[in-house]
Amino acid sequence: RLGHPMVTVATDGVPCLGCPVSDIALCTAHGDEALADISRRAQLRAKTTLFEECAHADAVWSLVSGALLLSKLLPDGRRQVLGIALPGDFLGLATENTYSFTATTLTPVSVCRFERSRFLELLNRTPRLMRQVFATFSRDLALAQDHMLLLGRRSAEEKVAAFLLSLRARRAPLHGLSARIDLPMTRQDIGDYLGLTLETVSRTMTKLAHRKVIAIIPDGVRILDVEKLSATASL
């Protein structure tokens, strides 16, 4: 166990061979078994905290399956959603000794946990792994910049359309560009991410559905006209 009541750790090693995210995870940057030797596979239930903002950053994590909501608390107690973590994402490599945000499971998830001190030791002696970490930070910076644009001078329709297209693109490396977009986030989560109210998100989704741009389905949406959705997002 990892000191977390919701976490179960496999005792027979990490099944790196056959890992569903082996082609896109940071772990692929290291060819030998060094990463497997310092990792443990764990499962968490939905609505469980993987790690909390300001808590001691004693581990880093690779998301194997499921989805995580990333958020921060503002000084006035309001919540700002920073994004959603998807399979293949690497989390928790803080520049300080504490986590800068909270990661909460939206669905049941499977993660690989790496003790932070041992991971940093391996990072210092593995240039290829260092390059992959740099690429991960660069991608996260690009996502943060896209988020800043979403929070800027865009209409509600533009924000929601851009969010759906971004989520579709991020899922593509594993599932291809699909018309179906699963939404593990609630409408409130989406609103907190886009700077919109729950009511505005729901109204905007309904408007896009009435225009035959998307269809609202259980647990997500289906894109009916990707060109119209892209035009709505001003992309």
Side-chain angles (χ1 to χ4, degrees):
R1 299 176 69 85
L2 303 178
H4 196 300
M6 296 292 185
V7 177
T8 303
V9 181
T11 57
D12 55 351
V14 178
C16 294
L17 294 177
C19 174
V21 295
S22 60
D23 291 336
I24 61 174
L26 181 143
C27 315
T28 60
H30 206 59
D32 58 30
E33 298 180 354
L35 272 175
D37 289 342
I38 65 170
S39 66
R40 294 292 182 271
R41 179 67 62 83
Q43 292 78 41
L44 288 83
R45 305 171 192 166
K47 303 186 185 303
T48 302
T49 299
L50 178 63
F51 57 80
E52 288 187 311
E53 180 182 359
C54 296
H56 178 59
D58 60 347
V60 293
W61 313 81
S62 180
L63 182 57
V64 177
S65 65
L68 291 159
L69 189 74
L70 314 179
S71 64
K72 286 181 69 74
L73 281 179
L74 301 177
D76 61 4
R78 290 179 298 162
R79 182 187 67 161
Q80 174 63 58
V81 172
L82 304 178
I84 180 174
L86 299 174
D89 285 349
F90 197 77
L91 303 163
L93 193 56
T95 54
E96 304 294 336
N97 291 324
T98 58
Y99 295 116
S100 59
F101 56 85
T102 295
T104 308
T105 60
L106 292 166
T107 66
V109 306
S110 178
V111 293
C112 280
R113 177 190 189 272
F114 305 89
E115 185 180 330
R116 184 171 182 260
S117 59
R118 297 180 69 187
F119 181 84
L120 292 178
E121 289 174 4
L122 182 61
L123 189 63
N124 287 333
R125 64 175 188 266
T126 313
R128 186 167 55 154
L129 184 60
M130 178 72 78
R131 288 193 295 271
Q132 185 66 18
V133 168
F134 179 78
T136 298
F137 278 149
S138 298
R139 184 197 62 187
D140 290 346
L141 178 59
L143 289 174
Q145 290 171 336
D146 289 343
H147 189 203
M148 290 176 65
L149 288 175
L150 276 180
L151 295 178
R153 296 184 178 182
R154 283 191 165 188
S155 68
E157 282 193 24
E158 289 173 331
K159 289 181 178 182
V160 171
F163 166 73
L164 293 176
L165 289 170
S166 173
L167 200 56
R168 178 178 185 248
R170 289 185 59 206
R171 291 185 182 275
L174 273 182
H175 307 291
L177 281 175
S178 172
R180 178 188 175 97
I181 304 174
D182 292 325
L183 294 176
M185 307 166 77
T186 66
R187 296 287 192 269
Q188 184 65 65
D189 293 335
I190 295 172
D192 288 346
Y193 179 65
L194 298 177
L196 302 171
T197 64
L198 182 155
E199 293 79 12
T200 299
V201 172
S202 296
R203 186 167 57 249
T204 302
M205 291 277 201
T206 300
K207 187 181 297 185
L208 291 172
H210 284 164
R211 288 169 47 199
K212 307 298 183 183
V213 178
I214 64 172
I216 298 174
I217 60 176
D219 300 321
V221 302
R222 181 176 296 278
I223 300 176
L224 301 179
D225 193 323
V226 69
E227 290 185 1
K228 285 185 178 180
L229 190 63
S230 296
T232 301
S234 298
L235 297 179

